[in-house]
Amino acid sequence: MQVDLEAEKKEILSRYRGLLRSSTRSISTAEKKLIRKAFDVALEAHKDMRRKTGEPYIYHPIAVAKIAAQELGLDTTSIVCALLHDTVEDTYITLEDVENLFGKKERQIIDGLTKISGVFDHSTSAQAENFRKMLLTLSDDIRVILIKLADRLHNMRTLGSMTREKQLKIASETLFMYAPLAHRLGLYNVKTELEDLSLKYKEPEQYEEIVSKLQKTAAVRSRFINQFMLPIRRELEKEGFSFEIKGRTKSIFSIWNKMQVKKVAFEDVYDVFAIRIIVDTKVEKEKADAWQVYSVVTDFYQPNPDRLRDWISIPKTNGYESLHTTVMSPKGKWVEVQIRSKRMDELAEKGYAAHWKYKDGAAQDNNLDSWLNQIREILESDSDNALDFIDNFKLNLFSEEIYIFTPNGDLKTLPKGSKALDFAFHIHTQVGSQCIGAKVNHKLVPLSHELKSGDQVEVLTSKKQTPKEDWLNFVITARARQKIKNSLKEEKRMIAREGKEILRRKFRNMKVDFLSINITELERYFNLDSATELYYQIAKGKIDLKHLKAFENTNGRLSIPEEKAPPPKTKSKPKPSPPPGKKDMLLIGDERQEIEYTLAKCCNPIAGDDVFGFVTIHDGIKVHRNNCPNATEMMSNYAYRVMKARWASKETVEFEVKLKFTGIDDVGLVHNITNIISSDMNVNMKGISFESVDGIFDGEVRVLVTDTEHLRTLIEKLKNVEGVLTVDRVDSEIFP
Ligand code: MN
């Protein structure tokens, strides 16, 4: 690649100057020097690096710094840190360098950013709730979170050059964690952009379709708004208001989301939009003016009393202020009208970045602090009311994992419901075996204490402690159960040895031979599954050896009279073996390993389909088609459980596919279809059913094909049969 380095240098400098110009607050000469220093350090450190697009890497930190300055309205420290945010992780620059060159604060922020990147960008297991807690734990300074958001926003804007897998992972993660975070922080514009960009990469076709349909319908919408607003506009002018009207459609993502959730077409959602009346007024008159505008609106249109929201008297927890009402338009359609002041509008759209405009000088800095504190409070509050961080995702359904910290701050992942003892066994078998209690967040708790995400746990041990049988009643991890059982088994074996001696003596007295057939007879009688168990119970006195009198002794052989025999135990059914020949068909995960998997029933993938692996809780890895009806939900809600998958070979394995037909009934049609399927195409037919009503037939056929190519050819051929109208692959029977 030929790169004009001189031109590139110029471009870098011009972008840097753009950054300086973009700040929403005034920057002093001293601050400018600091930013320049950070720019020089980052430029030098990243000098040989390029982004996936081929552009110089420095474009990225400059862009992130610009977002921090312009769109989030952050201060000089943040701009400096945004410029440096990738240096410690990706270059020779160390945290010490940062501290020496800039200061303690900067070091702290870069440290937080580097850690978050380590935990979240490079691990596969991250969930919103943990994300929130982790962010708090790793970021002493809330600016870390805001710079991280800026970083993610720029990465989303430049996602086009990534591989498809990376796009899906990053887009899903953004949708799941970063967009709700932006929402929670009141950064409406950032949230909307993150969501729209996520959709663009997750569902490119649907995204493009909505975009183009929105463009096509724009004129109709603006005509409607003009007509609707005409009488209101006149009246407001008459009353001397200075105002602005915005007619906003929902974002692309929320239109798409509505189409999915409500299962409706674009045409049913596109015109659901809000009309916003923004009044330019003094702060002290805001409320009175808003209600006066409300009164004008409802003079013309009938309001829905259930849909009045007064967020001016009581702002939302993220600071949102506005007065909302829904009124009936003359065309019989509900229209949401949002009434707010100019200040409220800017705050709602730009969040903190807009605050600067309403404060100056020293008040600016106080304001930043109070906003940062407010964010911390929002993130720390566990109350789930009002605008929820996780509301959209019904997180509690998904939190199958919790994060626990060791006293040193190391992070351990455990299943939800884990007890202190599970954690102890997770650390080390011996720590678990000798565990006598634990300190959770410095408070003493019993072994059976259930842990919560974010707990810091210190295990207390004693050399005298040994695993106890009742521990099995509360531990939930497989590891702890296994270790406890092993240890108990060892103990049991010792005790069983005594029991064996007792039985040997008893047999001697009864003149019964100490033979395995006799032991087996006893096991059967007492309904036990091993000799060890039998000896153990004897040693523990749980089995009364007087029972032996019931047996008949024939020359040293024990037998039990028929009528006294206990009913024989029913043997459990053997597990069905997995279908053969599947293992080497699919390669799963980054290392393209061969892992056991099953094909999902909801979309019935076959070789050649675009697929991904999904880690289920109980059934191992399930393979779904990328366009499975459930794929979007899985990818956005459980991005961390999604694994890459690719078909490796298309050998002789056959997949069952169901095809639906419609057509015009004709003698010989069924014959023609079956003929193509069985002879022409050499396809195995598993079943066929036809129904014909008044000359129109509906049919279904189940066939075995080797891959998508095979299937495509088959469908083409069938479509060519005279009388056949449609042939479609049926996704599943479970989700019609
Ligand atoms: Mn970055």
Side-chain angles (χ1 to χ4, degrees):
M1 187 176 56
Q2 194 64 37
V3 179
D4 183 345
L5 290 174
E6 271 313 304
E8 218 169 67
K9 227 182 238 169
K10 271 189 192 151
E11 178 62 25
I12 291 171
L13 280 177
S14 119
R15 288 186 188 215
Y16 167 70
R17 274 184 233 111
L19 160 66
L20 288 183
R21 278 195 306 273
S22 69
S23 178
T24 50
R25 54 202 302 270
S26 51
I27 300 175
S28 71
T29 320
E31 286 176 319
K32 259 187 200 144
K33 270 192 185 153
L34 264 179
I35 296 175
R36 177 73 201 206
K37 190 164 144 196
F39 168 69
D40 287 338
V41 170
L43 183 63
E44 178 62 24
H46 291 300
K47 82 167 180 275
D48 296 323
M49 296 167 63
R50 286 185 180 271
R51 301 202 87 207
K52 280 262 161 60
T53 51
E55 291 175 332
Y57 194 85
I58 191 73
Y59 286 6
H60 169 62
I62 294 176
V64 174
K66 193 170 171 186
I67 294 171
Q70 188 171 34
E71 297 176 51
L72 304 179
L74 295 177
D75 59 352
T76 300
T77 309
S78 312
I79 297 173
V80 164
C81 292
L83 283 168
L84 299 171
H85 82 272
D86 279 331
T87 54
V88 172
E89 194 182 357
D90 297 338
T91 76
Y92 54 84
I93 304 277
T94 64
L95 286 173
E96 284 69 37
D97 295 337
V98 173
E99 182 170 347
N100 292 337
L101 287 165
F102 298 95
K104 266 209 157 60
K105 189 89 254 177
E106 285 78 359
R107 178 199 172 123
Q108 221 176 50
I109 294 176
I110 302 290
D111 188 25
L113 284 165
T114 311
K115 277 185 190 149
I116 288 177
S117 161
V119 172
F120 287 99
D121 297 346
H122 306 300
S123 97
T124 47
S125 174
Q127 294 169 285
E129 181 59 17
N130 299 315
F131 178 65
R132 181 172 73 100
K133 287 198 169 129
M134 290 292 299
L135 281 179
L136 281 171
T137 320
L138 295 177
S139 34
D140 302 318
D141 192 308
I142 220 80
R143 279 174 287 202
V144 171
I145 295 174
L146 296 165
I147 297 170
K148 188 70 203 162
L149 259 181
D151 182 30
R152 177 51 63 118
L153 182 56
H154 185 245
N155 284 336
M156 284 301 293
R157 284 176 182 170
T158 52
L159 200 56
S161 45
M162 293 295 207
T163 61
R164 183 82 188 116
E165 274 101 1
K166 270 260 166 71
Q167 287 178 349
L168 283 175
K169 176 182 186 280
I170 293 175
S172 301
E173 207 178 76
T174 299
L175 206 51
F176 189 46
M177 301 192 290
Y178 289 91
L181 181 66
H183 179 81
R184 183 71 181 243
L185 302 182
L187 302 166
Y188 179 79
N189 284 355
V190 174
K191 172 214 168 204
T192 306
E193 192 179 346
L194 286 176
E195 283 178 345
D196 285 355
L197 286 169
S198 299
L199 185 65
K200 182 176 170 186
Y201 290 101
K202 283 172 57 57
E203 300 286 349
E205 280 161 27
Q206 297 182 34
Y207 175 87
E208 289 304 333
E209 200 182 319
I210 293 173
V211 169
S212 95
K213 282 185 172 171
L214 275 176
Q215 276 162 2
K216 279 183 204 143
T217 51
V220 182
R221 271 195 310 278
S222 77
R223 212 175 309 132
F224 175 86
I225 293 168
N226 287 340
Q227 268 176 14
F228 178 89
M229 283 306 296
L230 194 64
I232 299 175
R233 194 187 285 274
R234 283 200 189 121
E235 185 59 31
L236 289 178
E237 275 163 5
K238 217 166 82 190
E239 293 189 19
F241 278 104
S242 160
F243 62 95
E244 192 193 337
I245 288 160
K246 285 188 198 166
R248 274 231 167 159
T249 54
K250 296 171 147 300
S251 71
I252 301 164
F253 177 82
S254 56
I255 289 176
W256 174 84
N257 196 37
K258 199 154 192 179
M259 287 164 67
Q260 299 294 309
V261 174
K262 302 229 163 121
K263 304 243 178 284
V264 291
F266 173 84
E267 286 65 29
D268 300 316
V269 245
Y270 81 100
D271 58 349
V272 178
F273 55 87
I275 291 178
R276 193 174 294 167
I277 304 173
I278 300 150
V279 196
D280 195 358
T281 185
K282 290 195 191 105
V283 175
E284 55 275 19
K285 284 198 71 194
E286 281 176 336
K287 190 170 169 180
D289 283 356
W291 282 104
Q292 202 179 334
V293 173
Y294 171 84
S295 149
V296 170
V297 172
T298 52
D299 278 348
F300 291 102
Y301 305 112
Q302 187 66 40
N304 180 341
D306 295 337
R307 302 278 291 274
L308 177 65
R309 300 282 179 272
D310 177 7
W311 283 306
I312 292 180
S313 306
I314 304 164
K316 287 190 188 181
T317 46
N318 67 0
Y320 181 82
E321 296 168 84
S322 191
L323 182 63
H324 291 190
T325 177
T326 302
V327 300
M328 181 60 83
S329 77
K331 287 186 176 156
K333 200 151 52 185
W334 290 112
V335 175
E336 181 175 303
V337 180
Q338 304 175 346
I339 303 160
R340 55 174 79 159
S341 71
K342 207 168 168 198
R343 179 192 64 86
M344 294 173 186
D345 191 53
E346 287 192 21
L347 288 187
E349 300 217 324
K350 300 177 86 179
Y352 185 63
H355 274 283
W356 298 123
K357 285 191 64 175
Y358 301 94
K359 301 273 158 89
D360 49 31
Q364 281 193 352
D365 287 326
N366 289 338
N367 214 17
L368 174 67
D369 283 343
S370 75
W371 187 62
L372 294 178
N373 281 335
Q374 205 182 317
I375 290 180
R376 181 166 278 280
E377 274 167 31
I378 290 170
L379 288 170
E380 278 173 348
S381 73
D382 266 334
S383 68
D384 281 0
N385 55 12
L387 273 179
D388 273 330
F389 183 52
I390 26 178
D391 190 27
N392 300 333
F393 302 99
K394 301 197 175 49
L395 185 86
N396 38 0
L397 283 179
F398 309 138
S399 51
E400 286 126 358
E401 282 179 344
I402 54 173
Y403 284 126
I404 303 298
F405 293 95
T406 67
N408 307 330
D410 285 344
L411 183 73
K412 305 282 174 194
T413 311
L414 288 164
K416 192 184 174 189
S418 288
K419 310 298 190 303
L421 188 58
D422 286 300
F423 176 76
F425 274 103
H426 188 83
I427 301 281
H428 193 274
T429 305
Q430 198 178 348
V431 174
S433 302
Q434 302 187 340
C435 181
I436 51 169
K439 278 185 177 171
V440 171
N441 306 325
H442 307 294
K443 241 182 78 191
L444 195 65
V445 298
L447 297 174
S448 57
H449 178 84
E450 183 168 334
L451 301 175
K452 288 199 308 294
S453 211
D455 280 346
Q456 187 171 46
V457 184
E458 183 190 345
V459 178
L460 307 173
T461 58
S462 156
K463 287 219 168 75
K464 287 180 190 151
Q465 178 70 300
T466 55
K468 301 286 179 282
E469 184 123 32
D470 73 292
W471 287 6
L472 291 170
N473 295 335
F474 58 81
V475 294
I476 67 142
T477 54
R479 184 188 165 85
R481 296 195 76 81
Q482 195 53 46
K483 297 294 178 189
I484 295 168
K485 277 186 180 165
N486 283 349
S487 164
L488 290 173
K489 231 186 251 166
E490 187 46 45
E491 196 191 309
K492 204 172 203 172
R493 228 173 275 139
M494 309 270 284
I495 296 170
R497 242 174 264 160
E498 295 171 30
K500 191 173 179 180
E501 278 317 304
I502 296 171
L503 187 66
R504 202 193 289 278
R505 282 200 296 274
K506 183 77 185 171
F507 271 14
R508 212 179 291 140
N509 289 342
M510 291 173 66
K511 303 213 169 4
V512 173
D513 295 334
F514 199 77
L515 291 172
S516 66
I517 43 164
N518 287 338
I519 308 297
T520 314
E521 195 67 13
L522 289 189
E523 281 171 39
R524 205 164 68 82
Y525 179 79
F526 291 111
N527 217 351
L528 300 169
D529 48 19
S530 73
T532 311
E533 187 64 35
L534 176 73
Y535 301 148
Y536 175 77
Q537 300 232 6
I538 290 170
K540 284 272 173 186
K542 285 183 185 165
I543 284 179
D544 192 345
L545 290 180
K546 278 179 198 145
H547 282 293
L548 294 187
K549 283 180 187 139
F551 287 78
E552 283 169 12
N553 182 353
T554 330
N555 299 329
R557 302 288 154 91
L558 281 183
S559 62
I560 187 93
E562 275 309 312
E563 73 274 12
K564 285 182 186 166
K569 267 199 211 166
T570 47
K571 279 240 169 90
S572 58
K573 274 189 221 155
K575 279 187 189 156
S577 52
K582 270 190 183 171
K583 213 180 160 207
D584 53 1
M585 283 296 295
L586 254 192
L587 299 181
I588 293 177
D590 281 329
E591 284 85 37
R592 310 273 152 152
Q593 292 157 301
E594 290 176 10
I595 304 177
E596 289 283 342
Y597 65 90
T598 49
L599 299 171
K601 290 265 188 303
C602 50
C603 56
N604 286 321
I606 69 175
D609 279 331
D610 283 333
V611 290
F612 63 93
F614 188 74
V615 184
T616 65
I617 305 300
H618 302 296
D619 290 336
I621 295 169
K622 284 251 156 91
V623 173
H624 295 262
R625 280 155 62 186
N626 279 3
N627 58 0
C628 166
N630 302 310
T632 309
E633 201 202 329
M634 287 184 281
M635 288 199 196
S636 53
N637 289 338
Y638 309 93
Y640 61 99
R641 283 162 54 183
V642 170
M643 299 180 85
K644 289 188 235 192
R646 187 159 294 161
W647 299 100
S649 61
K650 297 173 184 172
E651 284 159 25
T652 47
V653 182
E654 292 187 313
F655 298 85
E656 187 174 318
V657 172
K658 196 192 250 184
L659 296 174
K660 246 191 161 77
F661 296 83
T662 59
I664 298 157
D665 203 357
D666 184 357
V667 195
L669 188 95
V670 173
H671 174 74
N672 287 343
I673 288 175
T674 51
N675 213 23
I676 284 182
I677 293 174
S678 51
S679 56
D680 213 16
M681 288 286 299
N682 211 3
V683 177
N684 278 320
M685 193 164 68
K686 297 263 290 181
I688 186 162
S689 64
F690 282 88
E691 194 179 325
S692 170
V693 179
D694 297 336
I696 304 293
F697 81 81
D698 268 312
E700 257 182 20
V701 60
R702 285 181 296 127
V703 293
L704 292 174
V705 294
T706 49
D707 58 29
T708 43
E709 190 49 37
H710 192 188
L711 178 65
R712 205 184 52 77
T713 327
L714 176 63
I715 291 178
E716 278 318 304
K717 285 217 170 186
L718 291 174
K719 277 186 177 163
N720 285 334
V721 173
E722 225 190 298
V724 171
L725 293 176
T726 62
V727 183
D728 290 299
R729 175 176 175 185
V730 180
D731 279 342
S732 95
E733 292 146 66
I734 311 167
F735 304 93

